Amino acid sequence: MSQPVFKSFLIVVSMLIQGSAWAQGGLPIVNMVDDGTGSTQYSLTLQLVALMTVLTLLPSLMLMMTSFVRIIIVMSLLRQALGTAQTPPNQVLLGLALFLTIFIMMPVFSAVWDDAITPYFDESIGFEEALLEAKAPFRTFMLNQTREADIAMFIEIAGNEDVTEPADVPFTTLVPAFITSELKSAFAIGFLVYIPFVVIDLVVASVLMSMGMMMLSPMMISMPFKLMLFVLVDGWTLIVGSLTASFAVL
């Protein structure tokens, strides 16, 4: 993709929040109203207020539709398993999760740019068609990462009996099913990450108990061993590589 991915991402976001009225005639920002005395009053339009409200929630909504959820949860559980409190700090974990998300979602962003944004700017397709083209790559990605049981549960809750194949799943049903499936995957990976560090804690606690050092915190002794194990096995490379590989088609 020749354009920067951030520009592509921001344009996709703007397309998702636009309406057909905006695409056709523009969104009025300020209304001028004559109060009857010859003076003019200015007021913000209801559309602008709604747009500003959506913009505050949009980053969270977009992150819920990408690989960010699984990555940040696994990273947080890894930090807890290491017992390093606030190391790495939250800013480092968020930055790592964000750039891994961009790396994993690059094919999706590229497809949106090539199939929806570029034709829309070239005026070869309309807004409605561009919106459908922009949603298609995200739908494919989420369908590939969502368990069928989660989709079936939300379809049953919604009472939508017309869904017979993945293409018929409504977008409003697919998103919560995707988030639920991502939470399951993240906690499953986190459980596997926790196991070796729990073993080290048990061994250190048993040794200290046998030596009669019950007043000494096992955490103080086990943390250097956990850090040494994590460094020796090249833990960051294993975690990042496993997370990236986990986004294969289920």
Side-chain angles (χ1 to χ4, degrees), residues 18-179:
Q18 287 177 348
S20 58
W22 188 4
Q24 295 173 359
L27 177 66
I29 298 179
V30 178
N31 280 337
M32 295 182 294
V33 181
D34 189 354
D35 60 0
T37 61
S39 60
T40 303
Q41 295 181 352
Y42 299 91
S43 63
L44 294 175
T45 62
L46 183 61
Q47 293 95 330
L48 181 61
V49 175
L51 176 62
M52 295 174 62
T53 303
V54 171
L55 284 176
T56 60
L57 301 175
L58 198 56
S60 298
L61 295 177
M62 290 301 299
L63 289 176
M64 292 295 103
M65 298 165 55
T66 63
S67 58
F68 183 83
V69 175
R70 185 187 306 184
I71 296 173
I72 193 61
I73 291 177
V74 172
M75 292 297 179
S76 299
L77 291 176
L78 172 63
R79 184 174 63 180
Q80 294 181 18
L82 287 171
T84 54
Q86 295 300 318
T87 304
N90 291 331
Q91 291 83 353
V92 174
L93 291 184
L94 289 173
L96 177 59
L98 179 60
F99 280 99
L100 280 178
T101 299
I102 294 175
F103 174 77
I104 294 171
M105 300 295 296
M106 182 66 73
V108 177
F109 295 151
S110 299
V112 172
W113 179 270
D114 295 335
D115 300 338
I117 299 176
T118 301
Y120 178 70
F121 284 164
D122 294 340
E123 298 183 355
S124 59
I125 60 175
F127 171 78
E128 297 294 338
E129 185 178 354
L131 184 60
L132 293 176
E133 292 291 339
K135 289 170 58 177
F138 284 97
R139 168 184 285 274
T140 302
F141 172 79
M142 289 189 290
L143 280 174
N144 290 337
Q145 302 302 322
T146 306
R147 295 174 175 83
E148 295 182 1
D150 296 327
I151 297 178
M153 180 189 69
F154 281 97
I155 290 177
E156 182 180 357
I157 293 174
N160 192 346
E161 300 179 355
D162 298 332
V163 177
T164 58
E165 55 185 17
D168 298 332
V169 179
F171 205 75
T172 53
T173 301
L174 178 59
V175 173
F178 169 74
I179 297 174

Side-chain angles (χ1 to χ4, degrees), residues 172-188:
T172 53
T173 301
L174 178 59
V175 173
F178 169 74
I179 297 174
T180 303
S181 185
E182 285 294 282
L183 291 174
K184 290 181 182 179
S185 300
F187 278 94

